Amino acid sequence: SVHGLRRGQGSRQGRVLLMEDVYEPLQKYRDEFRVKFAQLTAKAFDRLTRASGVDVAANAGLVAKIRSLERRIARERSVRQWKGFLVSLVAVVISCLGCQVWRCLAPFFDAEGPKPNMETLFWFGISLACALALEFVVLVPWYRDSTALLARLKDKRDETESTAWRQMEPLNRLYDWDMTLALIQKTVPRLEFDKYFTERRLQDLRTQFGWSDEFNRNRSVLFAQTGQINGNPFVVGECLRHELGGKTYTGSLDISWTERERGSDGKMRTVRKTETLHASVNKPCPYFRNEKFVIYGNEAASKLTFSRQPSDLSGLDDGFFDSWRKRGEIKKLEALSRNLDDDLGYTMMPNKEFEALFHATDRNDEVEFRLLFTPLAQTQMLALLKDKEIGYGDDFAMYKDRRINVVWPKHLRDAVIDTNPTRFRDFDYARAKANFQRFNEQYFKDVYFAMAPLLTIPLYQQTRTHTAIYGESLKHVASFWEHESIANFCGEKAFQHPTCVTRNILKTTAARRPDGTSSVAVTARGYCGLDRVDFVKTYGGDGAYHDVPVHWTEYRPVEKTSSIVVSERDVSPPAILRRDEQ
């Protein structure tokens, strides 16, 4: 059983924040948020340093000693390699000289052979003796001394590093899951994060915004961070998605046969011919891939549906050929808008550049689309799409299904979206400080620009949900999103079936216990692999069909159910239970 829950951030529900909305996300980040967040991050690390009582100067001295020892270790390792090379080289010379001495001694054992050359034997013997003396009196002890010195340097380095770790332990204990989120909340108005993904938050998404759990059917939650923008819920999540596709396997068979043919001399002769036959089969194969996304619920334009994909036009300049490409796309959209025979009902708006770059031609309600994308929203969205310096530009797909919005930003694919505090722990204070600053700034940029497409729409921030207006408190029961996230944090191998050879989709069901904890059943679903061979009849050059063997793997579903215990603990941040302590 595993007892655990991540994070312990206090709830801020019911508090009305009199702050300005973020209608110009790109400009705000450039002119205000980026600098403000960097400053808050630096101050936060300074506060952690003061609270920990770490002696920065003493740590710098220890780290300098460690770096000096590492340089000496690198030099001594290089020297030992050369010494080892010399030992090996002299050993080869000894072997060659020994062979020569043996050849000179051979006539002594053959009475009928030629008389031995004593002078040659003498010099070879002297050379062999000198080589042996050099090897075992000089080089081997020299190599052993170098090995011993290297071991002493490593021990001293490890001892000094252990001292540095002990010195930094008070600071390393202070890192928690909520520090980065708290800094973002202080930076961006109207943005709040939850302690964890509660059942109440999930129920709100279902009942108020029409969220469907069908999204999770072939997915397992790896991480989920929920919160709200001016009372409207969002989820920044990562899932492992399973799809069943096909895989092509190939095989080959070498055949040979004889034929009678006439040679250049006009005579008939028998010749042997060979050919390699190839065959292939396509069989079902499971595929797994990670997805990172933002889910956002908002009641504005509640009937509107549309989708859009990143456009190549967004990154174009204003040159002749780039402008020509944009004009070509605009003409296509104009023709689509004039076509009354299709079922789209698409009507082009006056801002033709926005239409070309955003390209949401499958929208179902022109009135609500215009209500959502006002001239201000269009201007800010265009600035976001065409940006090449501040954020990530047009790198996101977006789908709106009535009151649910889903954004898939490409830049999140390689981004880290969890705030696991173990990554900040270090024995080197200067490196820990730099890493803390660098990670948090990058995390803020990645998450901020994942949400930026939603922040460009003023109506989204002006619309508040019923729950936010009346300040209803959230229940402190973790949802299955959180349970799957905890199970995946423990690792698939802890739950997978013994015969599984693929990745696993972890699904959970929970039951509350009298003590307030939840007994969570974790079912790992994967595939075992069975070796199979198909024989494919293939026509050969000999005029006959041959069975070409094609080896393939049959994937059969396997699953295993295990149990963990999860408890929700509402404690204040420095006593947060870290997920790595589960």
Side-chain angles (χ1 to χ4, degrees), residues 347-406:
T347 304
M348 193 172 187
M349 293 196 296
N351 191 335
K352 297 180 180 180
E353 185 179 21
F354 170 78
E355 289 281 18
L357 271 57
F358 195 70
H359 208 273
T361 58
D362 60 350
R363 56 204 189 222
N364 69 331
D365 193 313
E366 289 292 337
V367 174
E368 287 201 342
F369 189 81
R370 284 159 171 75
L371 182 66
L372 204 64
F373 288 98
T374 61
L376 175 59
Q378 295 175 39
T379 300
Q380 296 309 316
M381 182 63 78
L382 277 176
L384 186 66
L385 296 177
K386 296 168 68 176
D387 170 53
K388 298 180 181 179
E389 300 177 356
I390 304 170
Y392 298 99
D394 187 1
D395 79 328
F396 64 91
M398 183 175 180
Y399 175 66
K400 176 173 170 62
D401 184 9
R402 297 172 177 83
R403 289 165 291 174
I404 288 290
N405 302 263
V406 185

Side-chain angles (χ1 to χ4, degrees), residues 265-285:
D265 57 359
K267 296 180 179 180
M268 298 297 295
R269 60 182 181 180
T270 300
V271 296
R272 177 169 292 276
K273 294 188 176 182
T274 61
E275 182 184 10
T276 300
L277 302 179
H278 298 275
S280 63
V281 295
N282 190 276
K283 299 293 182 179
C285 179

Side-chain angles (χ1 to χ4, degrees), residues 394-430:
D394 187 1
D395 79 328
F396 64 91
M398 183 175 180
Y399 175 66
K400 176 173 170 62
D401 184 9
R402 297 172 177 83
R403 289 165 291 174
I404 288 290
N405 302 263
V406 185
V407 182
W408 289 275
K410 287 184 180 179
H411 70 265
L412 282 190
R413 294 177 183 174
D414 299 322
V416 177
I417 63 171
D418 69 80
T419 54
N420 191 334
T422 57
R423 62 172 50 88
F424 302 129
R425 298 173 184 175
D426 205 331
F427 67 84
D428 183 344
Y429 175 85

Side-chain angles (χ1 to χ4, degrees), residues 163-194:
T163 302
W165 274 111
R166 289 193 296 271
Q167 187 186 60
M168 287 285 288
E169 184 57 26
L171 177 59
N172 291 334
R173 284 199 303 264
L174 293 180
Y175 299 129
D176 63 69
W177 285 81
D178 288 309
M179 295 181 301
T180 305
L181 306 180
L183 292 171
I184 296 176
Q185 286 188 164
K186 291 179 180 179
T187 304
V188 183
R190 308 288 192 183
L191 181 61
E192 297 181 22
F193 292 97
D194 298 332

Side-chain angles (χ1 to χ4, degrees), residues 282-294:
N282 190 276
K283 299 293 182 179
C285 179
Y287 291 94
F288 300 84
R289 61 186 174 92
N290 287 32
E291 287 184 338
K292 296 176 184 176
F293 49 82
V294 177

Side-chain angles (χ1 to χ4, degrees), residues 464-526:
R464 294 172 62 90
T465 65
H466 175 84
T467 301
I469 292 174
Y470 291 94
E472 300 174 6
S473 61
L474 298 177
K475 293 181 180 179
H476 303 294
V477 178
S479 68
F480 77 87
W481 282 66
E482 198 68 36
H483 296 156
E484 289 183 14
S485 176
I486 292 173
N488 278 297
F489 186 83
C490 295
E492 297 175 29
K493 291 184 179 180
F495 304 99
Q496 72 179 17
H497 191 276
T499 62
C500 181
V501 297
T502 66
R503 296 199 65 179
N504 290 263
I505 295 295
L506 304 185
K507 305 303 294 182
T508 62
T509 55
R512 296 297 286 182
R513 306 200 308 181
D515 61 358
T517 62
S518 295
S519 177
V520 180
V522 181
T523 301
R525 295 169 181 163

Side-chain angles (χ1 to χ4, degrees), residues 152-323:
R152 290 195 299 272
L153 289 172
K154 288 181 178 180
D155 290 341
K156 192 172 183 181
R157 188 269 315 274
D158 293 342
E159 181 183 354
T160 308
E161 189 173 306
S162 297
T163 302
W165 274 111
R166 289 193 296 271
Q167 187 186 60
M168 287 285 288
E169 184 57 26
L171 177 59
N172 291 334
R173 284 199 303 264
L174 293 180
Y175 299 129
D176 63 69
W177 285 81
D178 288 309
M179 295 181 301
T180 305
L181 306 180
L183 292 171
I184 296 176
Q185 286 188 164
K186 291 179 180 179
T187 304
V188 183
R190 308 288 192 183
L191 181 61
E192 297 181 22
F193 292 97
D194 298 332
K195 331 177 248 196
Y196 49 90
F197 198 158
T198 64
E199 184 66 26
R200 179 55 188 275
R201 178 69 78 191
L202 182 57
Q203 288 296 336
D204 285 345
L205 283 169
R206 289 168 176 160
T207 58
Q208 294 191 48
F209 303 98
W211 173 255
S212 173
D213 289 336
E214 181 66 18
F215 177 86
N216 299 81
R217 189 167 63 88
N218 292 319
R219 292 178 173 90
S220 180
V221 180
L222 303 179
F223 182 81
Q225 175 60 61
T226 60
Q228 57 184 5
I229 304 174
N230 199 19
N232 298 294
F234 69 82
V235 182
V236 179
E238 179 178 9
C239 286
L240 177 66
R241 181 173 181 176
H242 164 247
E243 294 175 333
L244 195 61
K247 182 177 180 180
T248 300
Y249 300 85
T250 59
S252 61
L253 177 68
D254 294 328
I255 62 172
S256 63
W257 68 94
T258 58
E259 290 183 357
R260 295 284 294 174
E261 64 179 27
R262 190 176 301 277
S264 58
D265 57 359
K267 296 180 179 180
M268 298 297 295
R269 60 182 181 180
T270 300
V271 296
R272 177 169 292 276
K273 294 188 176 182
T274 61
E275 182 184 10
T276 300
L277 302 179
H278 298 275
S280 63
V281 295
N282 190 276
K283 299 293 182 179
C285 179
Y287 291 94
F288 300 84
R289 61 186 174 92
N290 287 32
E291 287 184 338
K292 296 176 184 176
F293 49 82
V294 177
I295 300 170
Y296 178 62
N298 196 293
E299 295 177 346
S302 59
K303 298 179 182 178
L304 177 62
T305 65
F306 70 82
S307 64
R308 61 94 51 187
Q309 297 292 329
S311 172
D312 294 336
L313 300 177
S314 300
L316 300 181
D317 297 322
D318 295 328
F320 173 78
F321 290 104
D322 291 343
S323 299

